[in-house]
Amino acid sequence: MQKVYQYLLFSPAVCSAMVFLSTAAFAGETSGTSQIDRSQVLASPNTKVESISENKTMAQVTSVSQLSDVQTTDWAFQALQSLVERYGCIAGYPNSTYRGNRALTRYEFAAGLNACLDRVNELIATATGDLVSKQDLAALQKLQEEFSAELATLRGRVDAVEARTAELEANQFSTTTKLQGQVVAVVSDVLSGNTVNGAEITDENTTLGVRARIELVTSFTGQDTLFTRIQANNILSPDIGTPEGNLFFAGEDGTTTAAIDALLYRFPLGKKTEVVAIANAGAADDLTSTVNIFDGDGAFGALSTFGTRNPIYNQINGAGLGLTYEFSEQLSLSLGYLSGTANNPTPNNGLFNGSYGALAQLTVQPNDRISLGLTYINSYNQPLLTGSNAATFQDIAAIQGLPEEEVGFSSNSYGVQASIGITDNIVLGGWVGYTNTRSLRGNRGDVDIWNYAVTLGFPDLGTKGSLAGIIAGVEPKVTSSSLVGLAEDEDTSYHLEAFYQYKLSDNITITPGVIWLTSPDHNNDNDDVVIGALRTTFSF
């Protein structure tokens, strides 16, 4: 490299060429990564896709004064001015900066040198060779010889990239769609507990179930997302005589039939508003943040339905529309309406006459570590999915004295969720949920249901990307009831859950965990129940 320094002393034009290639070569590399970044952004249907263009190069400048960060007092000013005005081989960034102070490699130097030589050859070929001094040419030729190996390597790399790009373009799945997938394999069993509500727990066999998802994530404009998910799921929660402690990732019937599990289209409406249109299997987390680091939609985070999110969120699902308006980076309002019978044309069903849930949530994020959600949900014929038998209306048809298809009840639910990052590796969270349900047909009456929880998370415990979690709380419990046939829960059952999500690699996580229910179904006469699960998640 001693020769290089001699050449730089010999010619100010070459000196500035070294600074020039710092801009040209580096900008060329970063602008080429925009497609990769876009694909990564599209990996999540809940992530906004933004245009990545800040590092692209600008057009050829004609005067050094166009570069805002180059001053006349800079040591390389005259050399830069010479390259711009005599040779025209300087390019800056779109924001009119030059960034001449950044470090560069020999390969970047070689790329910039080669570009400047090409420009000099153009000048000679167009009979403007008098602009090039013999002194500059001699120095450039010596530098070209010095960096011949790097230039040859660069040409080889460029040829290889072009060949690979051509192959990818010829065999790509789609220019607009990213294909991704996920497999969740679960081994679970009831480890302890024999009797609940006077009946013996018979589901005490070790089981293995799998939930497989194939997802198509499409963007037409770079700012919108069409999300299509196909799913098959044969995982079943053990029947312990109460919905408490059920597993969030469990299916409904234990079959492996594949079906379209989710279909939604998310797009911006102006600079501050985002709209999501949901055609199938929408949920609260498609409309707003559930403010819980353990909400991994069953594949990550908590194992149980209760530990995944405030149970009041489970009263909204199906097809419909959602909107989020950002007042600022710290404050946003989410509104949504989903119908569970949107595609059913029979009486007392359809988009507006059947079961539905309407959500409004104000989310406050004063900084990166603190989040607060204030939630209201109005629903019709949408029971809670976890809690005691009374709180989840397991026998509502019998209580109302009506056939199943004629049951009618409405609910108003209120929730407060919070998450506080005490440190980078300790996150304190929790929620309180209250639901008032009124029977509209048959036997009439009102029911008050409460639930609450405290969570403690330990991100990156052991390894980067791992997560340990503890959840302690009370699943939905009937605290008062004027509905004949539905008595309030006299005792209190506590839900205690612990898990450790270990990131084995970028594509594999293993999560062992236990769920301990004291006095299940809020009945002190019942045995405590302990459920164990080992979840393995493969992402691709």
Side-chain angles (χ1 to χ4, degrees):
M1 290 296 292
Q2 186 175 2
K3 295 180 181 179
V4 177
Y5 297 127
Q6 293 174 348
Y7 298 153
L8 294 178
L9 292 173
F10 184 70
S11 172
V14 176
C15 179
S16 60
M18 185 173 181
V19 183
F20 146 73
L21 61 91
S22 172
T23 298
F26 178 70
E29 289 178 358
T30 53
S31 64
T33 63
S34 62
Q35 184 61 38
I36 296 175
D37 294 336
R38 179 175 176 272
S39 298
Q40 292 173 343
V41 171
L42 286 176
S44 171
N46 295 321
T47 301
K48 295 180 181 178
V49 180
E50 298 179 355
S51 175
I52 302 171
S53 60
E54 63 176 357
N55 286 328
K56 292 182 180 178
T57 56
M58 67 182 291
Q60 168 65 44
V61 297
T62 57
S63 172
V64 72
S65 62
Q66 292 178 251
L67 303 171
S68 62
D69 57 347
V70 176
Q71 308 299 324
T72 56
T73 55
D74 291 340
W75 65 271
F77 177 80
Q78 290 184 351
L80 286 171
Q81 188 178 41
S82 177
L83 280 175
V84 171
E85 297 175 1
R86 293 179 63 194
Y87 303 114
C89 56
I90 286 292
Y93 288 87
N95 58 358
S96 299
T97 60
Y98 182 64
R99 306 183 191 178
N101 290 325
R102 63 171 296 274
L104 70 157
T105 66
R106 285 175 64 89
Y107 288 116
E108 291 175 324
F109 187 97
L113 176 61
N114 187 64
C116 220
L117 284 172
D118 289 342
R119 177 59 181 160
V120 169
N121 289 331
E122 288 178 12
L123 292 173
I124 294 173
T126 55
T128 56
D130 56 316
L131 294 175
V132 184
S133 68
K134 293 181 179 180
Q135 187 182 39
D136 290 347
L137 283 175
L140 287 171
Q141 287 169 355
K142 289 180 180 180
L143 279 172
Q144 190 174 27
E145 294 174 1
E146 172 74 15
F147 285 88
S148 60
E150 284 82 358
L151 288 171
T153 302
L154 270 177
R155 291 190 185 98
R157 288 184 176 182
V158 171
D159 291 342
V161 170
E162 288 179 347
R164 181 59 177 161
T165 300
E167 180 184 354
L168 289 174
E169 289 178 348
N171 297 281
Q172 63 184 337
F173 170 72
S174 171
T175 58
T176 59
T177 302
K178 177 183 176 68
L179 176 65
Q180 61 190 34
Q182 186 185 85
V183 175
V184 176
V186 179
V187 177
S188 62
D189 197 358
V190 176
L191 306 179
S192 177
N194 296 314
T195 304
V196 173
N197 294 334
E200 183 179 355
I201 298 175
T202 58
D203 290 8
E204 292 187 341
N205 292 311
T206 302
T207 60
L208 170 63
V210 176
R211 186 186 76 180
R213 289 176 168 177
I214 295 295
E215 298 169 345
L216 304 175
V217 186
T218 304
S219 180
F220 304 104
T221 67
Q223 295 182 324
D224 62 341
T225 302
L226 175 64
F227 182 76
T228 307
R229 182 171 66 208
I230 301 172
Q231 173 178 287
N233 188 354
N234 69 352
I235 302 173
L236 292 175
S237 289
D239 184 0
I240 61 172
T242 172
E244 287 179 277
N246 56 30
L247 304 174
F248 186 86
F249 39 72
E252 296 181 358
D253 53 13
T255 66
T256 54
T257 302
I260 295 179
D261 174 63
L263 179 61
L264 60 86
Y265 180 58
R266 193 182 303 275
F267 60 94
L269 188 64
K271 294 182 178 180
K272 295 186 176 182
T273 305
E274 182 180 75
V275 178
V276 56
I278 303 174
N280 185 54
D285 61 327
D286 296 317
L287 302 173
T288 189
S289 168
T290 59
V291 195
N292 184 12
I293 65 168
F294 297 158
D295 189 346
D297 202 29
F300 305 99
L303 301 171
S304 68
T305 300
F306 179 69
T308 298
R309 61 186 67 143
N310 189 331
I312 70 167
Y313 283 121
N314 299 322
Q315 292 178 301
I316 180 169
N317 61 77
L321 196 68
L323 179 149
T324 297
Y325 180 81
E326 292 185 354
F327 297 97
S328 66
E329 293 182 357
Q330 292 76 34
L331 182 66
S332 63
L333 175 65
S334 298
L335 304 173
Y337 176 92
L338 298 180
S339 170
T341 58
N343 66 329
N344 189 343
T346 61
N348 298 321
N349 285 295
L351 187 59
F352 301 109
N353 292 327
S355 64
Y356 73 84
L359 173 146
Q361 176 169 305
L362 195 66
T363 304
V364 184
Q365 293 180 296
N367 55 54
D368 293 338
R369 289 192 172 183
I370 300 176
S371 295
L372 176 69
L374 305 176
T375 310
Y376 168 71
I377 296 176
N378 173 262
S379 65
Y380 174 74
N381 280 5
Q382 293 278 34
L384 298 166
L385 298 183
T386 188
S388 67
N389 284 300
T392 54
F393 296 162
Q394 296 296 300
D395 300 317
I396 188 64
I399 292 170
Q400 289 187 333
L402 297 170
E404 192 73 34
E405 64 274 10
E406 295 183 16
V407 166
F409 60 90
S410 67
S411 300
N412 290 291
S413 296
Y414 309 85
V416 178
Q417 300 75 228
S419 179
I420 303 172
I422 299 175
T423 69
D424 289 341
N425 303 108
I426 302 177
V427 179
L428 178 67
W431 65 78
V432 176
Y434 165 70
T435 299
N436 174 262
T437 300
R438 173 171 295 181
S439 174
L440 302 177
R441 300 173 186 169
N443 294 330
R444 305 296 181 95
D446 291 298
V447 180
D448 290 331
I449 305 169
W450 284 87
N451 83 89
Y452 55 87
V454 175
T455 65
L456 191 60
F458 304 93
D460 299 328
L461 181 65
T463 62
K464 185 73 174 178
S466 295
L467 174 66
I470 300 173
I471 303 155
V474 173
E475 296 207 23
K477 170 186 175 180
V478 175
T479 57
S480 68
S481 173
S482 62
L483 180 58
V484 177
L486 185 68
E488 66 183 60
D489 293 313
E490 297 182 358
D491 303 313
T492 300
S493 169
Y494 293 99
H495 176 114
L496 303 173
E497 181 176 348
F499 66 88
Y500 179 57
Q501 178 180 296
Y502 177 70
K503 187 176 182 180
L504 191 63
S505 69
D506 290 339
N507 304 101
I508 303 174
T509 62
I510 299 176
T511 309
V514 294
I515 302 167
W516 177 19
L517 302 173
T518 69
S519 305
D521 206 34
H522 299 295
N523 187 343
N524 288 340
D525 293 333
N526 293 331
D527 296 339
D528 288 4
V529 173
V530 178
I531 301 171
L534 176 63
R535 177 185 64 200
T536 302
T537 303
F538 304 90
S539 304
F540 55 91

